[in-house]
Amino acid sequence: MSFLTTKHTLVRRSVRAFCERELQPIAKELDIEARFPWDVVEKMGKLGYFGIQVPAALSGAAMDSVSYCIVIEEISRACAGLGLCVTVHNSVGVYPLVAFGTEEQKQKWVPPLAKGERIGAFCLTEPNVGSDASAVESTAIRDGDHYIVNANKVLVTNGAVADTCLMFVKTDPAAGHRGLSVIVAERGMQGFIIGDLEDLSGNRANAVSSIRLTDCRIPVSHLLGKEGMGMKIGLAALDTGRIGIAAQALGIAQAAMEEGIRYAQQRRQFGVPISRHQAVQMMIADMATKVDAARLLVYRAAAQRDSGGPFSKESAMAKLFASEIASEVADMAVQIHGGYGYTKGYPVERYYRDARITRIYEGTAEIHRIVIARSVLEEYK
Amino acid sequence: MPLNIIICIKAVVLEAPDGKVIRTSETCALNPFDRPAIEMAIRLRDEAGGTVTAVSMGPESGSLALYEALAMGVDHVVLVSDPSLAGSDTFATSTVLSAAIRKLAPFDLLLFGTRTSDSDTGQVGPQTSVLLDIPLVTGVTAVTRKKANFIVERKIDEFIEEYEVALPGALTIHASALQPRDASLMGLETAYGQEQFTLMTLKDLDILAEQVGDNGSPTKIINMQRIQKKRKCEMIQGSVEEQAEELVRRLKEAGHIG
């Protein structure tokens, strides 16, 4: 694959070996118990997984986007919930601080995040805010050198374990999306309240929860960029973030395909392994083709980002396609397993649940189709 | 006293080939038995100061192993590569490595894994040490410093042997000695960013073409074929107790259990 160098081969091998040893054996139990594996996260932090693209001067690994995708893909192959944690932390949690933070802000927040000593979160979604970010109802009202922030954020990825949270709030509620700003809230601040864990269908190792700020006084120095830059920061973060979610979906699809193939080669019906039956071979061919196509789109989007050019369309295509084939491939893997695929005795049941959300978060499939269509129509104008 | 440590490593082939071995970055990896030795080298250096230099002989496609060593924390890597080296057996390999190591001298400690996962001879460490005329302890599980020397342990049957080794000396490190570290992403990125390979060819070594490759190899692989495992499944009939008794009887008969 032309996007890949020998460095990428080594990155994959290294991350895969770690995840197969540390994460894969406990993935089932993390899912059942909805447990966040702090011990594994600590080891990942030391290996640079929480600062994959952060500059070395800020304690990161300073890697390219293709390497980034490989890391997320491999973590997600072992445990989707932790793949989600790592990609959201890196892309929408840390990247906006690196891209839009002042030197002082970067020095303060980025190194502990990059080392995994602190976990990042991106707090945009509210009870009445999903795809329409301009509808944010949370507010930050200036009071001297502080903002008084009142926010109700829901379905926050990493929410219950997050230390450093990018809060999307209205600093000028009358100005629509032009009044949207990003303020960094930290766990432990007075008025910073973490809600109960969501009882998720999949990705259960991730501590998704609500976060509420009640009359929380946050210094003005915590404003990221300028007032009114919220939409710009959010869109830049999500452009990057969706490549990571595409890589997560790809990792889930890869895991589902591998289990489907393995089972097909073991399970015997009519005197032969079911992989000898053409009906099963059709599914294996489709799974392999879809996974390969998704991988090409994901790495292309990453390579496009590395080249410095615009990559919104490419990342939207990668996210849309990878998330949809993840569900399709997981579905086929369940089908190959027959009744056993519908039990918790086999991991495909978990992949099936893990895959579903990738079509919803970091921009729904429908929103991505709009992004792609607009871009394509522009090209053919 | 800072230590100058040299460690010999190999890029092994990942899967048994059909016929001729083709080495590419996809088919090769760092020998897993070298990892604990690299870990030992890094820890000794971190304690005492000094440098660790990894040396490998093989085609450039095997450089992945050297990058991995760099990513783990080795300071320098040397690749000894020359078309004339193709076909070298363990003796010719030891001849080449000892010649390269002489060029890298002075050194304090020379480390090896105990064996490789592909050819599995365990000969290169001992042969290279003999050619360099330095003391050697094999299968070492622990190393501690005693003034200018090292006290090393090796497990053998029910005993732990202890040796005092004068420097420069050579050790092969047993795989159970240490849990090797994972390469960090920072390490991998830095390894590929520095391009700090030293390449040695035959003309850099004071040896002759007759001493290496096919010509310098007293042993030759005449043929290589996959082992065809003939397995058959037999169902033992009867009640569970009868099946268990019959299974035990057969295993005894076949000499698998006492």
Side-chain angles (χ1 to χ4, degrees):
Chain A
M1 209 176 281
S2 60
F3 306 114
L4 302 180
T5 64
T6 58
K7 178 179 83 173
H8 297 122
T9 305
L10 210 49
V11 169
R12 184 185 304 283
R13 275 189 199 162
S14 176
V15 178
R16 180 171 289 197
F18 176 85
C19 292
E20 286 185 347
R21 191 180 71 234
E22 304 280 342
L23 205 50
Q24 217 166 42
I26 59 167
K28 180 181 175 183
E29 128 197 358
L30 297 179
D31 174 64
I32 291 170
E33 296 169 14
R35 180 162 63 82
F36 185 73
W38 280 109
D39 51 338
V40 181
V41 166
E42 193 183 323
K43 289 178 190 168
M44 285 182 160
K46 293 200 171 108
L47 294 174
Y49 294 8
F50 282 81
I52 304 170
Q53 295 200 268
V54 171
L58 293 169
S59 306
M63 298 199 110
D64 55 279
S65 302
V66 176
S67 296
Y68 178 82
C69 286
I70 291 169
V71 175
I72 302 303
E73 183 186 337
E74 289 301 327
I75 300 172
S76 305
R77 176 177 169 270
C79 175
L82 209 55
L84 173 65
C85 165
V86 175
T87 188
V88 163
H89 168 99
N90 273 280
S91 64
V92 292
V94 180
Y95 165 73
L97 293 170
V98 174
F100 296 97
T102 62
E103 202 47 45
E104 198 182 330
Q105 287 175 329
K106 284 193 254 191
Q107 292 297 341
K108 179 179 176 184
W109 288 311
V110 177
L113 285 165
K115 287 187 258 182
E117 294 164 359
R118 302 191 125 231
I119 306 283
F122 180 86
C123 307
L124 176 59
T125 303
E126 296 179 7
N128 295 317
V129 180
S131 298
D132 179 9
S134 67
V136 162
E137 292 168 351
S138 297
T139 56
I141 306 302
R142 185 81 182 249
D143 178 28
D145 54 2
H146 281 74
Y147 287 103
I148 297 169
V149 183
N150 281 285
N152 183 18
K153 298 295 181 180
V154 297
L155 296 168
V156 180
T157 299
N158 297 344
V161 295
D163 305 280
T164 309
C165 303
L166 305 189
M167 303 294 297
F168 284 76
V169 293
K170 288 277 174 69
T171 41
D172 183 357
H177 71 82
R178 287 190 188 81
L180 195 64
S181 303
V182 180
I183 290 175
V184 180
E186 291 178 283
R187 173 200 283 266
M189 286 175 157
Q190 198 164 9
F192 184 108
I193 302 152
I194 292 169
D196 291 339
L197 279 185
E198 291 291 346
D199 190 7
L200 300 174
S201 172
N203 282 268
R204 289 171 58 82
N206 199 293
V208 174
S209 77
S210 58
I211 292 180
R212 184 186 287 270
L213 302 187
T214 306
D215 290 332
C216 187
R217 287 180 65 82
I218 300 181
V220 172
S221 61
H222 283 222
L223 176 72
L224 192 59
K226 295 191 177 73
E227 281 191 11
M229 269 180 73
M231 195 58 104
K232 185 181 174 187
I233 295 171
L235 290 176
L238 290 170
D239 262 353
T240 303
R242 62 176 65 125
I243 299 183
I245 294 300
Q248 187 214 10
L250 175 60
I252 298 169
Q254 174 71 28
M257 178 183 77
E258 287 176 26
E259 283 302 312
I261 293 170
R262 190 160 69 164
Y263 189 81
Q265 287 172 331
Q266 287 172 357
R267 169 76 170 174
R268 295 174 74 88
Q269 287 289 279
F270 303 105
V272 291
I274 60 170
S275 61
R276 299 258 193 96
H277 299 309
Q278 278 194 334
V280 173
Q281 289 179 1
M282 299 294 120
M283 286 193 270
I284 290 171
D286 284 350
M287 288 196 295
T289 307
K290 285 170 196 281
V291 169
D292 255 19
R295 184 166 285 122
L296 285 167
L297 278 177
V298 172
Y299 293 174
R300 180 188 68 157
Q304 180 73 11
R305 181 169 189 260
D306 287 334
S307 75
F311 60 97
S312 275
K313 183 185 75 175
E314 288 78 5
S315 71
M317 284 177 164
K319 199 277 188 182
L320 171 67
F321 190 77
S323 64
E324 293 196 335
I325 69 100
S327 284
E328 291 164 18
V329 170
D331 187 85
M332 283 188 269
V334 169
Q335 193 67 18
I336 288 171
H337 279 66
Y340 287 122
Y342 198 60
T343 70
K344 290 196 191 294
Y346 287 86
V348 288
E349 177 272 344
R350 169 162 53 91
Y351 303 145
Y352 185 73
R353 286 181 286 112
D354 288 341
R356 186 60 183 84
I357 186 65
T358 62
R359 282 148 64 193
I360 299 172
Y361 55 31
E362 300 249 352
T364 61
E366 293 70 30
I367 289 289
H368 282 111
R369 283 194 163 85
I370 293 171
V371 171
I372 295 163
R374 276 186 191 152
S375 177
V376 172
L377 289 169
E378 188 65 24
E379 283 168 33
Y380 285 88
K381 202 164 60 175
Chain B
M1 183 189 79
L3 289 171
N4 190 359
I5 304 170
I6 295 174
I7 174 161
C8 294
I9 62 175
K10 183 187 178 188
V12 293
V13 286
L14 285 166
E15 280 180 33
D18 277 323
K20 197 172 159 55
V21 181
I22 297 169
R23 292 171 196 275
T24 69
S25 60
E26 291 297 323
T27 59
C28 289
L30 174 61
N31 174 30
F33 295 99
D34 291 343
R35 288 172 190 273
I38 294 174
E39 181 66 34
M40 181 68 84
I42 292 169
R43 288 195 197 181
L44 290 171
R45 176 206 61 195
D46 289 349
E47 274 171 31
T51 59
V52 178
T53 305
V55 183
S56 185
M57 181 187 115
E60 278 198 60
S61 54
S63 62
L64 210 72
L66 289 171
Y67 279 117
E68 197 164 348
L70 277 175
M72 283 177 76
V74 161
D75 301 289
H76 309 292
V77 290
V78 178
L79 180 67
V80 186
S81 191
D82 196 292
S84 65
L85 303 179
S88 294
D89 70 355
T90 63
F91 184 71
T93 302
S94 302
T95 304
V96 172
L97 286 175
S98 57
I101 290 161
R102 281 198 190 93
K103 293 287 171 188
L104 298 168
F107 63 93
D108 302 300
L109 210 48
L110 179 60
L111 299 185
F112 299 88
T114 48
R115 59 198 174 99
T116 56
S117 64
D118 54 359
S119 46
D120 208 13
T121 64
Q123 293 165 353
V124 170
Q127 286 176 161
T128 307
S129 311
V130 169
L131 290 170
L132 288 166
D133 197 19
I134 55 174
L136 162 80
V137 182
T138 57
V140 169
T141 52
V143 179
T144 46
R145 196 75 180 264
K146 187 187 173 189
K147 294 183 183 160
N149 295 346
F150 277 102
I151 304 291
V152 301
E153 284 179 15
R154 74 191 288 261
K155 289 199 182 96
I156 185 101
D157 295 332
E158 300 293 309
F159 299 93
I160 295 174
E161 292 180 342
E162 219 175 75
Y163 291 87
E164 184 165 348
V165 185
L167 305 185
L171 309 173
T172 72
I173 304 296
H174 196 270
S176 67
L178 291 165
Q179 172 69 35
R181 69 191 64 193
D182 293 293
S184 70
L185 298 183
M186 294 75 89
L188 287 164
E189 187 62 29
T190 311
Y192 275 91
Q194 288 177 344
E195 305 277 344
Q196 49 187 341
F197 261 75
T198 305
L199 185 68
M200 283 187 182
T201 60
L202 192 65
K203 66 175 169 43
D204 299 313
L205 310 172
D206 295 330
I207 46 176
L208 305 168
E210 299 91 85
Q211 292 176 270
V212 301
D214 278 331
N215 296 335
S217 298
T219 61
K220 297 213 176 3
I221 295 170
I222 303 164
N223 185 25
M224 189 160 58
Q225 61 186 46
R226 270 180 191 272
I227 296 167
Q228 300 294 334
K229 283 190 185 140
K230 283 188 184 136
R231 291 195 295 190
K232 62 172 185 180
C233 179
E234 205 183 323
M235 305 304 282
I236 297 172
Q237 305 297 332
S239 68
V240 175
E241 286 80 9
E242 286 165 356
Q243 288 178 40
E245 272 175 31
E246 176 63 11
L247 181 63
V248 169
R249 192 188 64 77
R250 289 200 197 188
L251 289 172
K252 267 188 188 162
E253 204 174 273
H256 295 310
I257 56 174

